Amino acid sequence: MNQAVSRCAACGVELAPGMLACPACRKLVHSARLATLAADGEAAEREGRFTDALTSWREALGLLPPGSTQHRVVGETIRRLSLALEKAEHAPKPPGGRAKAVAGLGAIALVAWNLKYFLLSLLGKAKLLVSGLASLPTLLSMFAWLALDRSRGISFALGLVASIYVHEMGHVSALRLYGIQATAPMFVPGLGALVRMRQYPIDAREDARVGLAGPVWGCAAAAVALAAGLILKEPTMLAVASVGATINVFNLVPVWQLDGARGFRALDTRQRGIVLTIAAIAALVSGDVMGWVVCAAGSLRLKRDLPAEGDSRAFRTFAGLLVALSAIAWAAGKAAPPG
């Protein structure tokens, strides 16, 4: 079967598959697509659509030769937009015209207005969670897990799979926010699940946001399971909360490709030391051995791969997760019936 030969539009030199620049005249192979992406990215930035702008520029980065001036410039653009996105995400939202009209009602109107945004945020996350189930590989791998892992009953297996799914969708949510393309979650029966990135974070700060988003969502899932177990006096939900919390603490171990390693890389020596101290205290109080594993693994990496400046948001998130997850595991264990 004959394959079409790709040639440089400028000088006619034959191009090998995957080449990003002509070896003869150095013209960019995807120059037309790059111009479109640049225009789309600039337009999205002007309109304040930072996620759309990041999506365009990340695609452009993949079409540029690594090490080139254009690659460096686009990389800096992505880094700048990523910071602008975070600033916009955490900026206080000014009240609109309707809120101003009812401002005279005082505190009740203010609470109702903020509650509206809170509920809309929850609705958006619910839509994301449901959308992830539209992936056939996700559903099939979920069913494979449920078929192979019934050692503690189908109810526990369902709860655990749901908890792991929420954890993985936390990663998906962060990846989509930063315009990074990735696959839907894929379950590995008996081991866990994963999301494979087709693009990569631009720096340790972004990588920490994406990495720690999984345990943040996983912590929320464990908290919901704990609340349901306490209210309904349901041992299975308490078991899901306990195991889910422990799994998320395990993910915070700063080794290999675990979420903790990605968060740890964004911390300076002082921040790492505080996090490890918190892990040790949390393990001592809760009795969860995973806290000691985090402490031991982190001690070996205390001064390795240090960033130029520690990330305060990653530090607060990491420390908060260790405290919250250990508290959930402890509370679930205390509330569980003996035996």
Side-chain angles (χ1 to χ4, degrees), residues 13-326:
V13 167
E14 185 175 330
L15 303 174
M19 290 193 95
L20 300 176
C22 175
C25 68
R26 306 309 301 169
K27 178 180 174 62
L28 294 173
V29 173
H30 304 285
S31 56
R33 179 59 181 161
L34 285 164
T36 299
L37 290 169
D40 291 345
E42 291 168 356
E45 181 181 0
R46 286 194 299 270
E47 296 169 10
R49 295 182 289 110
F50 295 115
T51 294
D52 292 339
L54 283 166
T55 300
S56 294
W57 285 115
R58 286 189 198 279
E59 183 181 341
L61 189 70
L63 300 178
L64 292 168
S68 65
T69 300
Q70 298 98 320
H71 192 279
R72 179 181 58 79
V73 170
V74 171
E76 289 301 320
T77 299
I78 292 172
R79 190 172 288 106
R80 176 178 58 79
L81 287 170
S82 178
L83 289 167
L85 170 67
E86 291 186 6
K87 185 176 180 180
E89 284 286 307
H90 291 85
K93 294 180 173 61
R98 182 178 300 176
K100 294 177 181 178
V102 298
L105 297 178
I108 296 176
L110 182 61
V111 170
W113 187 256
N114 288 328
L115 181 61
K116 169 187 173 182
Y117 279 106
F118 176 70
L119 292 175
L120 286 175
S121 176
L122 285 181
L123 181 61
K125 290 177 180 178
K127 287 181 178 178
L128 176 62
L129 288 171
V130 172
S131 70
L133 296 174
S135 167
L136 186 59
T138 299
L139 284 175
L140 290 177
S141 59
M142 268 186 175
F143 288 135
W145 179 302
L146 293 173
L148 295 174
D149 184 14
R150 296 187 183 181
S151 58
R152 299 179 65 174
I154 188 63
S155 297
F156 175 81
L158 280 169
L160 187 59
V161 164
S163 177
I164 294 172
Y165 173 71
V166 171
H167 173 110
E168 294 302 324
M169 290 306 291
H171 293 310
V172 172
S173 176
L175 288 166
R176 290 187 181 182
L177 178 66
Y178 289 99
I180 300 172
Q181 295 183 8
T183 65
M186 176 72 73
F187 283 80
V188 182
L191 294 177
L194 56 88
V195 172
R196 299 188 65 178
M197 293 183 290
R198 295 194 177 102
Q199 298 166 329
Y200 295 94
I202 198 67
D203 54 22
R205 171 191 53 83
E206 257 192 11
D207 199 28
R209 301 289 184 272
V210 173
L212 294 176
V216 167
W217 281 46
C219 182
V224 169
L226 174 63
L230 293 174
I231 293 170
L232 301 175
K233 301 187 185 304
E234 174 54 59
T236 299
M237 295 306 296
L238 292 173
V240 169
S242 178
V243 174
T246 299
I247 288 174
N248 279 281
V249 175
F250 169 75
N251 271 280
L252 291 176
V253 177
V255 296
W256 192 48
Q257 296 296 317
L258 293 180
D259 302 332
R262 301 165 71 182
F264 213 64
R265 278 193 289 268
L267 308 182
D268 60 28
T269 304
R270 181 186 65 86
Q271 292 170 336
R272 292 179 182 186
I274 295 173
V275 162
L276 297 182
T277 302
I278 291 173
I281 295 172
L284 188 64
V285 173
S286 68
D288 187 354
V289 70
M290 280 302 166
W292 294 117
V293 177
V294 171
C295 192
S299 297
L300 299 176
R301 301 190 57 187
L302 189 60
K303 294 187 177 181
R304 291 177 55 188
D305 302 321
L306 289 169
E309 183 179 355
D311 188 291
S312 60
R313 180 176 164 189
F315 166 65
R316 292 193 302 270
T317 304
F318 209 132
L321 282 168
L322 286 169
V323 172
L325 289 166
S326 296

